[in-house]
Amino acid sequence: DTLMRRVSDLQSQQNDDALQALTEQIDPLSIQVEQCTEELAEVQMSMDALSQRITEQRNANRELAEKAKASQSTLAQREAKLVSLQALQQAALANEASTAWLVQHELNDAPRLGQCIRPDAGWERAVETVLGSYVQAVCVDAAKALSEQLSQFDQGEVMLLDKQAVLDAPSALGLPALVDKVGSDWSVSSLLAGVYAAQTLPEALAVQAQLQANESVITMDGIWIGPNWMRVSRASDAESSVLLREQAIADLQVEVAEL
């Protein structure tokens, strides 16, 4: 019995030692497994975040592509509209009968008055009504120097306008002169002399009796009144206005440059 008990104790001791040895091996491995699990979780979080950024970037790229496509479409439309307006403007400001003379004297590319004046907003119709065909005037630095060549002009009509300023007479009616509503590199005082600007028709009619023979007043919407006459001119198409079309061309050129 003593021997058997001794054998049993030895076996139990061996088992305890083996279990202890296994425990000592398992504990570090458990720690490593826990560390790996944490690292895996961090990697998974990084992958999820990266996947989210990829998705967001793809969406941003898609939006940019759509915006670029829309911008290209808008640009094409603006460019087509600009070309169309420029063609209409060129035709409106051209004078076929005088083209040969202008080309001969290297004036065909000179700016026309309609391209050089900048009426205050809302006064385009009034200014164009008074100027009439003068919007086709060829703007030059010194019209007097071309007087000899002009005397040889034998067919059609041509008008030259130079930068020389013309003195304006002060207003006696308490209304601003129409020329004050126009910005221009060329003086247009002589073309708009004696014409006053009224905001409304009642305002214009109120001074009609005070107008001299060489004076007139025009409203913002283009009703032109003299001492004993009244005139109104309406284009069938808004785009037929040279001055409004020139402003539209300038606006489109800015838009195209920004697209």
Side-chain angles (χ1 to χ4, degrees), residues 169-247:
S171 171
L173 299 180
L175 292 177
L178 182 61
V179 70
D180 294 336
K181 303 292 185 182
V182 181
S184 175
D185 296 332
W186 272 260
S187 175
V188 292
S189 298
S190 60
L191 302 180
L192 302 178
V195 183
Y196 299 97
Q199 292 283 343
T200 64
L201 181 58
E203 187 179 2
L205 291 173
V207 299
Q208 184 179 23
Q210 303 173 48
L211 293 173
Q212 301 297 313
N214 61 337
E215 293 179 328
S216 60
V217 58
I218 191 165
T219 65
M220 181 180 280
D221 63 349
I223 299 177
W224 195 6
I225 300 173
N228 61 347
W229 54 266
M230 299 178 68
R231 178 190 172 194
V232 62
S233 178
R234 295 284 188 261
S236 58
D237 182 0
E239 288 191 351
S240 64
S241 168
V242 170
L243 301 184
L244 288 174
R245 186 165 52 238
E246 188 64 31
Q247 183 59 53

Side-chain angles (χ1 to χ4, degrees), residues 128-170:
E128 191 165 353
T129 296
V130 175
L131 288 177
S133 62
Y134 288 140
V135 294
Q136 297 177 327
V138 181
C139 298
V140 297
D141 290 327
K144 187 175 181 179
L146 294 166
S147 57
E148 183 176 346
Q149 294 91 323
L150 197 62
S151 66
Q152 300 169 3
F153 183 77
D154 57 6
Q155 184 177 0
E157 179 182 359
V158 66
M159 178 179 180
L160 304 179
L161 180 69
D162 66 28
K163 288 184 176 180
Q164 181 179 356
V166 178
L167 296 177
D168 299 323

Side-chain angles (χ1 to χ4, degrees), residues 64-136:
L64 286 174
E66 291 174 355
K67 288 181 180 179
K69 184 177 180 180
S71 294
Q72 290 175 348
S73 175
T74 301
L75 176 61
Q77 293 174 2
R78 296 291 188 275
E79 288 179 332
K81 181 67 173 178
L82 179 58
V83 170
S84 174
L85 287 178
Q86 287 174 328
L88 286 172
Q89 193 74 327
Q90 184 176 6
L93 294 175
N95 186 326
E96 294 183 3
S98 63
T99 298
W101 184 89
L102 292 173
V103 170
Q104 179 184 354
H105 297 289
E106 300 180 350
L107 294 173
N108 199 44
D109 293 329
R112 303 310 193 259
L113 181 59
Q115 297 172 310
C116 299
I117 59 176
R118 299 171 296 278
D120 291 353
W123 286 95
E124 296 89 352
R125 177 179 292 173
V127 172
E128 191 165 353
T129 296
V130 175
L131 288 177
S133 62
Y134 288 140
V135 294
Q136 297 177 327

Side-chain angles (χ1 to χ4, degrees), residues 35-87:
Q35 291 175 342
C36 288
T37 301
E38 292 176 354
E39 292 175 357
L40 179 61
E42 292 177 356
V43 170
Q44 186 63 48
M45 289 177 62
S46 297
M47 291 180 62
D48 291 344
L50 181 60
S51 177
Q52 179 65 24
R53 288 198 296 270
I54 290 174
T55 300
E56 291 174 353
Q57 188 60 53
R58 285 176 177 170
N59 291 336
N61 290 345
R62 187 179 303 110
E63 290 178 3
L64 286 174
E66 291 174 355
K67 288 181 180 179
K69 184 177 180 180
S71 294
Q72 290 175 348
S73 175
T74 301
L75 176 61
Q77 293 174 2
R78 296 291 188 275
E79 288 179 332
K81 181 67 173 178
L82 179 58
V83 170
S84 174
L85 287 178
Q86 287 174 328

